[in-house]
């Protein structure tokens, strides 16, 4: 099972956890969890006016072997207005625009979508239960 928690954080709310959203999915091949502004396809939705987040920004998909892959989906713009980082313990990795990384099995961490123009972010914590 993959469990996600999401908080939309602006500079004025740094450290706040109010309004945290949660979603989970079983670790079955093909299972998908999405994060973005489009509530019709995303289990975790950001504020509508946070345009640094695409309609469908992040996709977590369970692979055939039960591992989960994180993909930063390309939006309608050639250059993104955000950055995406995967943080696991002391390790931090930038996820390339349109790129994918496999999450650690049985691990936990955070995916941070950082606005490039304003001090605000979408923080998605994850826990992969084996």
């Amino acid at each position: 099972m993959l469990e996600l928690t999401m908080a939309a954080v602006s500079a004025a709310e740094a450290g706040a956890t109010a309004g945290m959203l949660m979603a989970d999915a079983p670790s079955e091949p093909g299972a998908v969890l999405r994060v973005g502004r489009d509530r019709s396809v995303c289990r975790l939705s950001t504020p509508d006016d946070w345009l640094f987040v695409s309609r469908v920004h992040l996709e977590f998909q369970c692979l055939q072997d039960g591992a989960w892959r994180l993909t930063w989906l390309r939006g309608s713009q050639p250059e993104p207005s955000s950055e995406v980082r995967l943080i696991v313990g002391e390790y931090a990795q930038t996820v390339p625009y349109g790129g994918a990384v496999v999450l650690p099995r049985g691990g936990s961490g955070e995916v941070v979508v950082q606005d490039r123009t304003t001090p605000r972010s979408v923080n998605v914590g994850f826990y992969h239960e084996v």
Side-chain angles (χ1 to χ4, degrees):
M1 174 166 297
L2 182 69
E3 298 173 351
L4 301 178
T5 56
M6 185 191 81
V9 181
S10 66
E13 302 164 334
T17 56
M20 191 170 280
L21 303 173
M22 301 176 77
D24 61 33
S27 292
E28 297 171 355
V32 174
L33 291 168
R34 293 182 184 97
V35 177
R37 291 190 337 263
D38 188 341
R39 287 172 174 71
S40 68
V41 293
C42 297
R43 292 274 304 275
L44 296 174
S45 300
T46 62
D48 291 334
D49 61 341
W50 283 32
L51 300 179
F52 72 97
V53 177
S54 301
R55 274 185 59 255
V56 183
H57 202 87
L58 302 175
E59 180 176 85
F60 295 83
Q61 181 178 26
C62 187
L63 305 174
Q64 289 297 322
D65 64 357
W68 284 85
R69 177 179 60 213
L70 164 67
T71 304
W72 179 7
L73 301 170
R74 292 188 71 87
S76 60
Q77 302 298 317
E79 292 296 318
S81 50
S82 62
E83 299 177 349
V84 175
R85 289 186 320 277
L86 171 65
I87 303 166
V88 178
E90 299 292 316
Y91 175 78
Q93 172 184 354
T94 299
V95 179
Y97 186 45
V101 295
V102 176
L103 300 179
R105 283 183 179 271
S108 62
E110 185 173 40
V111 179
V112 178
V113 180
Q114 182 71 49
D115 188 339
R116 288 185 169 170
T117 62
T118 306
R120 59 184 176 179
S121 65
V122 175
N123 298 12
V124 181
F126 69 87
Y127 174 68
H128 182 201
E129 183 179 298
V130 184

